[in-house]
Amino acid sequence: MLGSQSADPARRKSLHGHWSSKMAFVLAVTGSAVGLGNIWRFPYVVGENGGGAFVLVYLACVLLIGMPVMMSEILIGRRGRRNPVASMALLGEEEGSTRHWKWIGVLGVVAGILILSYYSVVAGWTLAYVVKSVSGAFTAASTDMVTAQYDSFVGDWRLLALCHTLFMGLAVFVVGRGVERGLEQAVRFMVPALLLLLLVLLGYSVTSGSFGEGLTFMFSPVWEDLTWDGVLAAMGQAFFTLSIGMGAIMAYGAYLPEETSIPGASGTVVVADTMIAMLAGLVIFPLVFASGLEGILEAGPGLVFKILPWALGQMPGGAFFSTIFFILLSFAAWTSAIGLMEPAVAWVVEHFNKTRAQATAMIGGLIWLLGFASVFSYNLLADFKPFGRTIFDNLGRLTNDIMLPLGGLFIAVFAGWVMCRNSSADELGGAGLIYKLWRVLVRFVVPVGILIVFLKSSGLLPDLG
Ligand code: PHE
């Protein structure tokens, strides 16, 4: 019998190889977590939702929901040792429930495909901004000039399509080469380099003259400004930034050696991801106030692409720093894109018996096509607004705020209620204090928390009194 089909979870092997070390796993998961979500999306959703109160809710979601869901995904992945669809089906049966748990895996595969379809478009922007930076387009540019550059750039669908195509090509290339060869090297230098560069930029924003204002905006909560819709957005951002709720971490967990500590690995990733997002905020918000463009806070996805080029353009050596910045951001997006594709690719390989290269080409092609809906959202279809938002915004909303938390809810219920104590304790290294805490969180706090936020934000649960 093949090792991969063993009935004994400890003897199951993944068909896609294993991480060469614990460090390799932590790096890969960190690479998937740290991405556009931290640097592009975090600042603009904080801006749209009024600052401090949103940030605190986000941090609470990361800690109380994100961390336990991440641990659950890794443990399910490692125990099943297959793609997320097959792992959920297998464990569902093994734990005396049903194979229908596979639908949670399917939900994740679909979410990953949809997310990457717009993620790749924004990642394409970062590629274009590398070129713009090199050419000195931002040197000493005024805020009006960088804003005009952004607007005319996203208005040109051919250019966006080209950048999106390029980025998808890069993603397909790495995923096609397989887990070990592609990923590890990229992440090993990208995350530390990004951290370092953000620290340099932090130095600049501290001296910008508006650091205090930025700090106040980011950390002093104005609770009256926070709506339930904002709470939903904070929860969605927590899921998105940690790459949880759609099986990416589950797929990576399938390649994790038996001895690695799951709580330890999860803790490292959560801390690194949160640090990078906070740093990005501490860089961006003071600069927003220094630029005098407070209105830009509510202006959405363009925030980072306007503020940073402007600020860097004022700085000595700015063209150099802005080139490095957008290169690193492209790398960060690249290592995240890999995580977004992995569940779908692993599933096609196992389920349809394709080679990895074929599966990657198929999934990549599909995502590439879907991406045009997001490309056109900024130009040809800018006025097409079902539910009052562009297709791009609707996709973000549907995936981050609905599909990921829904996936997370079921993953928590599965790990906490369906899996027996022995199985989960076995994976989490015994029934100590951390295990008990995790179990209370996944059984009660996570499901109830997600349900309340869903019901409140959709208006189904009215305020009492
Ligand atoms: N966490 C990534 C980011 O912050 C996005 C992502 C989501 C990647 C889900 C993989 C899976 O950019």
Side-chain angles (χ1 to χ4, degrees), residues 128-393:
Y129 269 62
V130 172
V131 178
K132 282 180 189 280
S133 303
V134 173
S135 70
F138 308 126
T139 308
S142 65
T143 49
D144 285 346
M145 281 156 73
V146 287
T147 306
Q149 285 205 35
Y150 172 83
D151 291 339
S152 81
F153 169 63
V154 296
D156 183 345
W157 73 265
R158 288 183 188 83
L159 205 52
L160 295 200
L162 176 73
C163 298
H164 160 59
T165 306
L166 234 136
F167 182 80
M168 276 313 295
L170 289 171
V172 163
F173 175 70
V174 180
V175 178
R177 276 161 51 107
V179 181
E180 281 157 18
R181 277 185 298 164
L183 266 176
E184 292 185 28
Q185 285 90 340
V187 187
R188 205 175 278 274
F189 94 97
M190 187 273 297
V191 174
L194 194 61
L195 208 64
L196 202 74
L197 188 70
L198 282 173
L199 286 173
V200 172
L201 297 183
L202 181 67
Y204 182 68
S205 95
V206 168
T207 57
S208 68
S210 304
F211 194 68
E213 271 173 276
L215 216 58
T216 309
F217 177 75
M218 203 169 148
F219 290 114
S220 75
V222 185
W223 293 106
E224 302 81 67
D225 290 351
L226 190 71
T227 58
W228 277 102
D229 217 37
V231 176
L232 178 68
M235 184 172 80
Q237 173 63 18
F239 273 89
F240 183 71
T241 192
L242 295 175
S243 307
I244 52 177
M246 48 77 59
I249 306 288
M250 209 185 278
Y252 284 4
Y255 319 138
L256 185 64
E258 209 52 47
E259 348 36 277
T260 309
S261 150
I262 292 179
S266 312
T268 313
V269 175
V270 169
V271 168
D273 187 78
T274 308
M275 251 170 57
I276 299 227
M278 291 296 127
L279 265 176
L282 287 175
V283 169
I284 302 286
F285 295 119
L287 294 175
V288 168
F289 291 102
S291 73
L293 291 179
E294 280 86 346
I296 207 179
L297 283 174
E298 282 115 59
L303 177 61
V304 171
F305 289 92
K306 295 174 184 168
I307 281 299
L308 271 183
W310 163 77
L312 291 164
Q314 315 298 309
M315 191 172 141
F320 171 76
F321 282 114
S322 111
T323 307
I324 305 278
F325 176 80
F326 284 109
I327 289 181
L328 288 175
L329 191 52
S330 310
F331 262 107
W334 195 11
T335 55
S336 297
I338 296 164
L340 285 162
M341 277 179 94
E342 185 60 28
V345 169
W347 176 65
V348 170
V349 169
E350 291 174 35
H351 198 74
F352 299 101
N353 236 330
K354 299 282 178 209
T355 66
R356 197 171 176 87
Q358 289 167 334
T360 313
M362 280 167 54
I363 297 292
L366 174 67
I367 294 173
W368 176 75
L369 268 181
L370 289 173
F372 280 84
S374 294
V375 164
F376 294 149
S377 296
Y378 282 90
N379 32 69
L380 303 181
L381 296 179
D383 295 325
F384 176 57
K385 293 189 169 162
F387 310 109
R389 297 182 204 91
T390 60
I391 304 179
F392 178 92
D393 290 339

Side-chain angles (χ1 to χ4, degrees), residues 69 72 76 88 101 406-419 438-439 441-444 446-448 450-451:
V69 170
S72 310
I76 293 171
M88 291 297 293
W101 282 98
L406 199 63
L409 171 67
F410 282 106
I411 288 167
V413 168
F414 185 83
W417 293 95
V418 175
M419 284 181 88
W438 168 80
R439 204 163 143 92
L441 289 174
V442 285
R443 281 165 75 94
F444 303 103
V446 175
V448 173
I450 295 175
L451 271 180

